[in-house]
Amino acid sequence: MGTCAAVAALLASTAMMVGARAAEAPHDTVVYAGALIDGVTFTPRRQVTIMVHEGKVAAVEAGYVAHPGATVIDLKDQTVLPGLIDCHVHISSKLPSQANAVEDMMTHTAVDAVLDGAIFARAMLLQGFTSARDVGGGDDTVSLRNAINEGKVPGPRLWVSLEPLGPTGGHGDPSNGFDSRLHHPDWQNGIVDTPDMARLRVREHHKRGADVIKIMPSGGIASTGDDPRAQLMTNEEIKAAIDTAHALGMKVAAHTYPAQAIINTVNAGVDSIEHGSFADADAVKAMKAHGTYLVPTLTVYDVFMKAAQEHPELLPPGTAEKELANDAIPKRNLPLAYKAGVKIAYGTDIGEGDHAREFALLAEAGVTPADALAFATRNAADLIGATDRIGTVQPGRFADLIAVAGDPLSHLELMEQVRFVMKGGVVYKADGHPVLLP
């Protein structure tokens, strides 16, 4: 069987299985948790019953309470937590060690991207991530989000931004490094060179199905020809994009590295700073004062540093040098924001790969296990704007539950070994194995 046929068969069989599981969701289910960290607080509750009805948590009760007629899931030997949330993914992106970036971009279409995304989304769900925010894709991310919501393929609930908005030659310009005569119509979808263009792009993205807006005020590292230490959008362009998005009910995430660009973007009212790699005391003070979230994304630096060291030929031209010079800085700077009390949400900046590795990197940067869990549950839900639906285990929220065999507050590495996954009342993983998935 050819690769395309195999992927098609995988998706078809998965759709049938997901549909079958989704049909079971309305039945009442009782989950017996040996311990529950509910995300409202991070003090474990012992011997807890979680009642699930029509895909949502109906009750959380002390003790192991009998509910005649309900399906029983026995997790008395495990710790149950809310489903995890990754606030910065690129769901169809391959690991840099797995593909030549330029070759892959020039030989793969949006159809390829949505198929890759479906495979990576399935893996992400089985890692325990039941929700995620994709901050930089195309129409493929809208299609994948809708397919997941309709039960056609398994994956986390997605909030998507479509193409990041930034200036010609900036971090979000797909044509960087190519012959200027090459052209693809989609390459212009995120280009913003005036405040009026910023307003137009935000409105276009909203029309095409975006839930959130991503802007690129500064240069980046994994792109050819731009400077990660320079602010490349004007303050007026930044403000126009943010104000227009907020008027449409959308939050704004900003890829921002240098301190002054962070300050300018925070003052313009942005909801989150992504990366914040070169933040100084003044930038941290601004984030703290405005209640702006930081999404550190330590995973992507770890992944790309290794790729730059071992496979520089696979990265876009001129970027391996930028990776080697800058990728160690964010981990050193994160404690400054953490100790100052800046609000932080969990994010990895990857698609393919292990989304749980961020926990270990946060721990290495001095983050406590309880705070790391908060970043990936309650805080992440707050940043997305969905605390009424996700991020905690309490009545009225989606029945998004995961479980690990031990105490993650003492052994945070257990978060890389999730044994049970329920999303919306549907079980996708039990005893460490996928349930009714190929």
Side-chain angles (χ1 to χ4, degrees), residues 158-188:
L158 293 178
W159 283 258
V160 304
S161 75
L162 293 171
E163 300 87 0
L165 308 184
T168 297
H171 183 55
D173 187 341
S175 68
N176 283 353
F178 294 135
D179 186 325
S180 61
R181 293 168 295 183
L182 293 177
H183 175 74
H184 189 291
D186 289 350
W187 289 357
Q188 295 298 310

Side-chain angles (χ1 to χ4, degrees), residues 133 135 212-215 251-255 270-272 274:
R133 193 180 63 158
V135 285
V212 60
I213 293 296
K214 167 82 170 292
I215 60 175
K251 291 194 174 189
V252 181
H255 160 108
V270 79
D271 298 285
S272 65
E274 311 296 307

Side-chain angles (χ1 to χ4, degrees), residues 201-274:
R201 296 298 187 211
V202 170
R203 290 166 181 159
E204 286 177 343
H205 279 40
H206 181 265
K207 175 182 175 181
R208 290 166 54 209
D211 306 293
V212 60
I213 293 296
K214 167 82 170 292
I215 60 175
M216 300 291 211
S218 80
I221 296 174
S223 48
T224 300
D226 59 316
D227 183 355
R229 295 184 177 273
Q231 178 176 323
L232 300 180
M233 289 181 76
T234 68
N235 291 343
E236 293 76 17
E237 291 163 355
I238 294 168
K239 187 75 162 59
I242 293 171
D243 288 350
T244 306
H246 286 172
L248 291 169
M250 296 188 292
K251 291 194 174 189
V252 181
H255 160 108
T256 321
Y257 281 71
Q260 190 57 53
I262 293 172
I263 293 169
N264 293 340
T265 307
V266 166
N267 287 340
V270 79
D271 298 285
S272 65
I273 295 293
E274 311 296 307

Side-chain angles (χ1 to χ4, degrees), residues 44-365:
R45 299 161 60 182
R46 307 294 175 184
Q47 298 186 356
V48 175
T49 297
I50 303 164
M51 183 69 181
V52 177
H53 177 70
E54 294 186 346
K56 293 185 177 181
V57 175
V60 180
E61 305 167 292
Y64 298 135
V65 181
H67 287 270
T71 299
V72 175
I73 297 175
D74 188 345
L75 301 177
K76 294 176 185 175
D77 60 346
Q78 298 181 51
T79 299
V80 175
L81 304 98
L84 303 174
I85 307 165
D86 190 331
C87 285
H88 191 128
V89 307
H90 298 281
I91 198 66
S92 63
S93 292
K94 298 170 184 173
L95 288 171
S97 59
Q98 300 302 308
N100 181 291
V102 174
E103 178 184 355
D104 194 73
M105 177 183 177
M106 301 303 289
T107 59
H108 288 73
T109 69
V111 176
D112 298 309
V114 78
L115 292 173
D116 286 336
I119 292 170
F120 302 157
R122 172 189 181 275
M124 190 176 173
L125 178 62
L126 295 177
Q127 291 164 10
F129 290 84
T130 53
S131 296
R133 193 180 63 158
D134 186 290
V135 285
D139 293 324
D140 57 290
T141 61
V142 173
S143 296
L144 182 57
R145 177 199 65 194
N146 295 346
I148 291 170
N149 289 344
E150 293 164 11
K152 296 176 180 176
V153 294
R157 288 182 195 84
L158 293 178
W159 283 258
V160 304
S161 75
L162 293 171
E163 300 87 0
L165 308 184
T168 297
H171 183 55
D173 187 341
S175 68
N176 283 353
F178 294 135
D179 186 325
S180 61
R181 293 168 295 183
L182 293 177
H183 175 74
H184 189 291
D186 289 350
W187 289 357
Q188 295 298 310
N189 286 348
I191 297 300
V192 166
D193 286 321
T194 68
D196 283 344
M197 288 179 71
R199 283 185 278 269
L200 175 62
R201 296 298 187 211
V202 170
R203 290 166 181 159
E204 286 177 343
H205 279 40
H206 181 265
K207 175 182 175 181
R208 290 166 54 209
D211 306 293
V212 60
I213 293 296
K214 167 82 170 292
I215 60 175
M216 300 291 211
S218 80
I221 296 174
S223 48
T224 300
D226 59 316
D227 183 355
R229 295 184 177 273
Q231 178 176 323
L232 300 180
M233 289 181 76
T234 68
N235 291 343
E236 293 76 17
E237 291 163 355
I238 294 168
K239 187 75 162 59
I242 293 171
D243 288 350
T244 306
H246 286 172
L248 291 169
M250 296 188 292
K251 291 194 174 189
V252 181
H255 160 108
T256 321
Y257 281 71
Q260 190 57 53
I262 293 172
I263 293 169
N264 293 340
T265 307
V266 166
N267 287 340
V270 79
D271 298 285
S272 65
I273 295 293
E274 311 296 307
H275 319 303
S277 306
F278 309 141
D280 61 12
D282 289 336
V284 166
K285 183 178 179 181
M287 285 188 279
K288 173 69 173 174
H290 286 261
T292 309
Y293 267 95
L294 172 66
V295 184
T297 67
L298 301 180
T299 297
V300 75
Y301 300 111
D302 199 52
V303 166
F304 272 81
M305 174 70 87
K306 185 175 181 181
Q309 292 168 338
E310 299 178 0
H311 296 286
E313 74 283 357
L314 297 180
L315 302 179
T319 64
E321 295 83 357
K322 289 200 287 182
E323 302 287 356
L324 295 172
N326 294 293
D327 283 351
I329 297 173
K331 189 188 296 185
R332 296 200 300 264
N333 283 354
L334 176 59
L336 183 65
Y338 176 56
K339 292 175 182 177
V342 170
K343 294 192 294 187
I344 298 174
Y346 190 102
T348 61
D349 202 8
I350 60 172
E352 181 182 19
D354 183 2
H355 290 255
R357 71 188 298 172
E358 187 82 6
F359 284 109
L361 297 169
L362 290 169
E364 290 175 16

Side-chain angles (χ1 to χ4, degrees), residues 393-416:
V393 180
Q394 54 180 321
R397 276 58 174 180
F398 285 122
D400 295 348
L401 309 174
I402 64 169
V404 296
D407 178 11
L409 295 172
S410 299
H411 301 282
L412 190 59
E413 66 274 10
L414 289 172
M415 300 309 298
E416 298 182 41

